[in-house]
Amino acid sequence: MVLCGGNAQAQPTITGLYPDGLHQFEASPTISFTAKSATGVTNVTVTLSASTLLGGSYLPITYTPSSGLTIAGASTDETVSAPLSQNTLYSATIVVSDTKGITTQTVGYFDTLAPVYTWEAEDWDYTNSSGTPGQFYDNPQTNKYAGLGALAGTDFLMANPNNGSELYRPQDIIVAGVSTNSLGLETQVTGDVPRLPWFGSSPYVGQDYEIGYTDSGDFANYTRHYPSSSKQPAGAFNVYARLSDGAGNNTVAATLSVSSTAGGTQLIGNAPFTFSDKETGWSSYAFYPLRDSSGALVQLQSDGSQTTLNLVVNSGSFNANYFMLMPADTNLGSSTLYTNMYPDGTTQFQASSNLTVTIVDSVGVSSNGVTVVLSGTNILGQVTNATVTAANGLTASGSETNLTVSIPVAANTSYSVLVGASDLTGNQSTATWSFDTITPVYTWQAMDFDYSSNSVNNLYIDNPQTNGYYQLVAVFGSDCYADSGGIGHGDTYRQSTSDLMYGLTGPGGPALENTTDVPLQAFTNVFPNNVNPITGEIYTEYDMGNNDST
């Protein structure tokens, strides 16, 4: 007896990837890596999904050997690169195939940010051994404030003391140079992606810290020569905070103001100047821009003079890792407005042979700058995907500042759509939504089962059906049946005789409830004010829930 087994096929490998996302601020003009296969690499694709610091997203771009990739070396050991944009957040999907048809894939996340200046949230002003508050360091800043105490009410304030830890700085009030060993902002090791300066640094080697356990009323003063950089000693900058939050979204998480300056450094905009944040989880960090009361980006205009910025916590329970200055960029994000789309998905059954949307942009958008990505599933479950541009089916009308585009769509299909536009300056934006083009021959509502009247069972109504069975009683066991008679569910739409059988003041029969489904057109704007003229009740769509096998 001879046992034979197939030779194991070695997969292609992807090595030397950079940027690799192991650190923040991996500024690079290209993404590069080495693709290897003993039998030879036959294909490489790199798909980049990019977003801005303001959350705007670009259309995914797929690079191939014939479109955008630069490839050098033998087929068994290829060096591959693709272009990147600066100051952008990326996700990348790399796929490598070899002559045997074996494929290797890797997905990575990284950024190409190159901030002009950063300062640590935990590096608020300190008080020296002589009891003088407001002391500071410009550079270097890597854990430079480790172990330094501060004067409460002047350098900082902790509104709700004795929470958290003091791993980086003592929770001290310094009085006349003497520590009282109490209070203080909370400092802890951050869970954020590390930055290169925090490796091999001293003291506290390899540790990056943050402020945690923040409460409303906390404040910290940060005195510096902003941006204090030989690269760009003065100028106009946008301000960003690196925060995480596991307790909920905050429209106003904190405010920032200039509390003192030796020169002309100022924040430009309509005060107050605020950071918002979102509930991303305690170990999931994001950038949040400083905005003014109108929602516009705030500019820090610096003349390089000594300036104190005052951060005041408004809505607590966020972690603050650091703050950064970026060159002022009025093109970050987009003012593009997508409107008048149809089908728009606000109701079901929006039958149409074309999808249309109007793109409003003060800069202007040409039809060649618009891409529509459609994913459709028909009622048989068959899936189609299409990318439509002016070259293969997209038509446009109107002006560049008010452009209406249209593409054909199929009948009886559910769609998800992404529309992307690049304005005349190259700024990109997207809009996404879902809709369907289904045209049913007839529909009936699950909650509109037969009713009874004057001892006659199994009565029904053909049309109209919009809340047509409102408050009609069904005979339990004849028109309907439900285990336990639907105990515990409201009777705002219908009742059954099981109310009497079970002694209920609530419902009987199948349990009915307000539906959270996308509404049917029949249940929207049926009459003026959407009120049933017979019953006086608001038209509402229901469903049958809490079903049992009996």
Side-chain angles (χ1 to χ4, degrees), residues 447-453 461 465-475 490-497 499 505-508 512 532 534-538 540 542:
M447 65 277 188
D448 287 350
F449 42 84
D450 291 355
Y451 73 98
S452 296
S453 178
I461 301 171
Q465 291 186 286
T466 305
N467 285 168
Y469 285 68
Y470 178 81
Q471 291 297 326
L472 294 181
V473 175
V475 172
D491 59 357
T492 55
Y493 184 64
R494 298 189 66 179
Q495 292 178 293
S496 85
T497 55
D499 291 345
T505 57
L512 308 180
N532 187 322
I534 299 174
T535 66
E537 297 289 331
I538 298 293
T540 304
Y542 298 85

Side-chain angles (χ1 to χ4, degrees), residues 389-401:
T389 66
N392 66 339
L394 183 145
T395 59
S397 61
S399 66
E400 289 182 334
T401 57

Side-chain angles (χ1 to χ4, degrees), residues 267-284:
L267 293 171
I268 303 300
N270 299 311
F273 308 122
T274 61
F275 296 108
S276 65
D277 76 4
K278 295 181 179 179
E279 186 177 1
T280 57
W282 294 119
S283 296
S284 182

Side-chain angles (χ1 to χ4, degrees), residues 390-413:
N392 66 339
L394 183 145
T395 59
S397 61
S399 66
E400 289 182 334
T401 57
N402 196 292
L403 188 72
T404 297
V405 298
S406 176
I407 66 169
V409 290
N412 295 321
T413 302

Side-chain angles (χ1 to χ4, degrees), residues 51-294:
S51 60
T52 70
L53 281 169
L54 296 182
S57 59
Y58 301 148
L59 288 171
I61 299 176
T62 297
Y63 295 100
T64 66
S66 61
S67 177
L69 287 184
T70 300
I71 299 177
S75 64
T76 56
D77 190 352
E78 295 183 344
T79 300
V80 184
S81 65
L84 298 174
S85 298
Q86 64 177 353
N87 294 329
T88 303
L89 312 177
Y90 279 102
S91 68
T93 301
I94 301 170
V95 180
V96 176
S97 302
D98 67 10
T99 57
K100 299 292 186 180
I102 302 174
T103 296
T104 294
Q105 175 177 298
T106 187
V107 178
Y109 302 88
F110 59 89
D111 71 75
T112 59
L113 301 180
V116 173
Y117 185 69
T118 65
W119 69 99
E120 302 305 300
E122 67 272 17
D123 286 352
W124 63 87
D125 292 355
Y126 71 95
T127 297
N128 64 21
S129 59
S130 299
T132 305
Q135 303 300 299
F136 66 96
Y137 293 100
D138 273 326
N139 286 300
Q141 291 185 286
T142 305
N143 288 337
K144 188 68 174 180
Y145 287 68
L148 295 180
L151 179 61
T154 301
D155 297 320
F156 74 96
L157 181 68
M158 185 65 179
N160 185 18
N162 301 319
N163 286 328
S165 65
E166 50 180 310
L167 293 180
Y168 178 67
R169 297 184 68 174
Q171 297 172 290
D172 287 359
I173 294 178
I174 305 296
V175 179
V178 179
S179 170
T180 63
N181 247 344
S182 61
L183 306 183
L185 291 170
E186 317 297 339
T187 54
Q188 59 192 22
V189 175
T190 185
D192 202 358
V193 176
R195 288 162 288 157
L196 283 176
W198 275 260
F199 285 83
S201 59
S202 178
Y204 297 72
V205 174
Q207 293 290 349
D208 188 8
Y209 295 86
E210 66 185 9
I211 289 176
Y213 294 90
T214 53
D215 290 288
S216 179
D218 290 358
F219 78 76
N221 282 335
Y222 301 97
T223 304
R224 304 285 191 279
H225 290 87
Y226 298 97
S228 190
S229 168
S230 59
K231 177 172 58 177
Q232 192 167 358
F237 312 96
N238 296 133
V239 187
Y240 290 85
R242 180 74 168 175
L243 310 176
S244 70
D245 196 326
N249 299 337
N250 292 303
T251 303
V252 179
T255 60
L256 190 70
S257 62
V258 174
S259 63
S260 68
T261 181
T265 297
Q266 57 184 322
L267 293 171
I268 303 300
N270 299 311
F273 308 122
T274 61
F275 296 108
S276 65
D277 76 4
K278 295 181 179 179
E279 186 177 1
T280 57
W282 294 119
S283 296
S284 182
Y285 295 76
F287 294 105
Y288 298 97
L290 186 68
R291 296 184 183 274
D292 71 4
S293 60
S294 69

